């Protein structure tokens, strides 16, 4: 009986991770495709960006935990979801673009889903809670970094926005919940909500981490004050 119950729990966790992964893949693909459409890329470029933004973090995560080949290249659903998002953006970009900051919104939702899914999958593969939280953060920020690099932008995670910190906070909720024995779905929802809330608040309120102040910046600031 206990073996059957254990199998049911494991199956439920794997289903949850897969669901979060696919939904996060779709949303991150939307952010990548939208960024590509803004740069007036052709349909091939938009589809490439949608796949790269959606799957880079998951590929790195799977390679690090030994889940090879990575799900993004072994499961057709990841490719299908990524390309579907790219096609949606390519043909309906004028409609999507009417939303306020669609790239930032899609990116925030994808970040929230991926940091949680990454941490959950790392725990399933036997990593310690600390390493699972760090890997969840890496899963969340990987796609955005790859997208920005391909577009010759400085990755958002390096521009002092509350980005990686939000992903780490969401993944930490999952890791702590695992240690305390909280329900998996509860911790997943809580972690995703915390990450999304922090990221959206940082966008709207301008929250950022401290940056290094160079001497010329300090002198310029003093001149402006005078």
């Amino acid at each position: 009986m206990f073996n059957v119950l254990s199998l049911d729990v494991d199956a439920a966790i794997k289903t949850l991770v897969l669901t979060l992964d696919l939904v996060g893949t779709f949303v991150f693909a939307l952010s990548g495709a939208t960024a590509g459409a803004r740069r007036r890329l052709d349909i091939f470029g938009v589809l490439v960006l949608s796949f790269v933004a959606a799957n880079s973090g998951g590929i790195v995560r799977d390679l690090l935990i030994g889940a090879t080949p990575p799900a993004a290249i072994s499961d057709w659903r990841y490719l299908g979801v990524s390309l579907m998002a790219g096609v949606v953006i390519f043909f309906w970009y004028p409609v999507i673009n009417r939303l306020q900051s669609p790239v930032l919104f899609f990116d925030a939702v994808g970040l929230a889903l991926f940091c949680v899914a990454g941490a959950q999958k790392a725990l399933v593969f036997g990593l310690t809670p600390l390493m699972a939280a760090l890997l969840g953060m890496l899963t969340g920020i990987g796609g955005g970094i790859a997208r920005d690099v391909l577009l010759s932008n400085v990755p958002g995670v390096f521009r002092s926005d509350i980005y990686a910190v939000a992903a780490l906070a969401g993944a930490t909720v999952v890791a702590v919940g695992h240690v305390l024995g909280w329900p998996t779905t509860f911790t997943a929802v809580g972690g995703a909500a915390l990450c999304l809330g922090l990221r959206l608040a940082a966008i709207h309120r301008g929250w950022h981490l401290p940056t290094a102040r160079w001497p010329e910046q300090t002198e310029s600031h003093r001149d402006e004050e005078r």
Side-chain angles (χ1 to χ4, degrees):
M1 178 179 177
F2 290 106
N3 289 335
V4 173
L5 182 60
S6 178
L7 289 174
D8 288 342
V9 172
D10 290 342
I13 293 176
K14 289 179 179 178
T15 301
L16 176 64
V17 170
L18 177 62
T19 302
L20 291 172
D21 240 5
L22 290 175
V23 176
T25 296
F26 182 77
V27 176
F28 253 135
L30 289 175
S31 77
T34 303
R38 281 186 170 179
R39 289 295 188 90
R40 298 184 179 277
L41 302 185
D42 61 20
I43 188 169
F44 179 76
V46 170
L47 293 180
V48 167
L49 266 184
S50 68
F51 180 81
V52 169
N55 295 284
S56 296
I59 289 174
V60 172
R61 172 201 64 201
D62 289 352
L63 290 175
L64 289 177
I65 64 178
T68 55
I73 58 177
S74 62
D75 189 335
W76 65 268
R77 288 174 291 188
Y78 288 86
L79 175 62
V81 165
S82 301
L83 297 183
M84 181 173 64
V87 169
V88 167
I89 293 298
F90 186 81
F91 288 104
W92 286 281
Y93 175 69
V95 177
I96 300 296
N97 195 47
R98 293 174 186 171
L99 299 175
Q100 186 176 8
S101 302
V103 175
L104 292 176
F105 177 75
F106 293 146
D107 186 77
V109 175
L111 182 71
L113 294 171
F114 265 14
C115 73
V116 168
Q120 289 282 12
K121 190 166 186 177
L123 291 170
V124 170
F125 275 75
L127 269 68
T128 63
L130 175 60
M131 291 298 103
L134 293 176
L135 201 59
M137 177 190 69
L138 180 61
T139 305
I141 68 178
I145 291 176
R147 178 199 64 217
D148 292 342
V149 168
L150 287 179
L151 291 174
S152 300
N153 295 329
V154 177
V157 67
F158 302 140
R159 291 182 299 189
S160 304
D161 292 338
I162 304 298
Y163 193 85
V165 172
L168 181 60
T172 299
V173 171
V174 174
V176 171
H178 175 77
V179 172
L180 298 178
W182 293 346
T184 304
T185 303
F186 173 77
T187 57
V189 172
L194 176 60
C195 177
L196 181 61
L198 285 175
R199 182 66 186 133
L200 292 180
I203 292 172
H204 291 292
R205 297 181 177 273
W207 294 347
H208 57 83
L209 298 176
T211 57
R213 298 183 62 187
W214 294 91
E216 58 268 22
Q217 291 178 324
T218 304
E219 293 175 3
S220 176
H221 181 66
R222 288 175 180 173
D223 291 340
E224 290 177 0
E225 288 182 344
R226 291 174 185 173

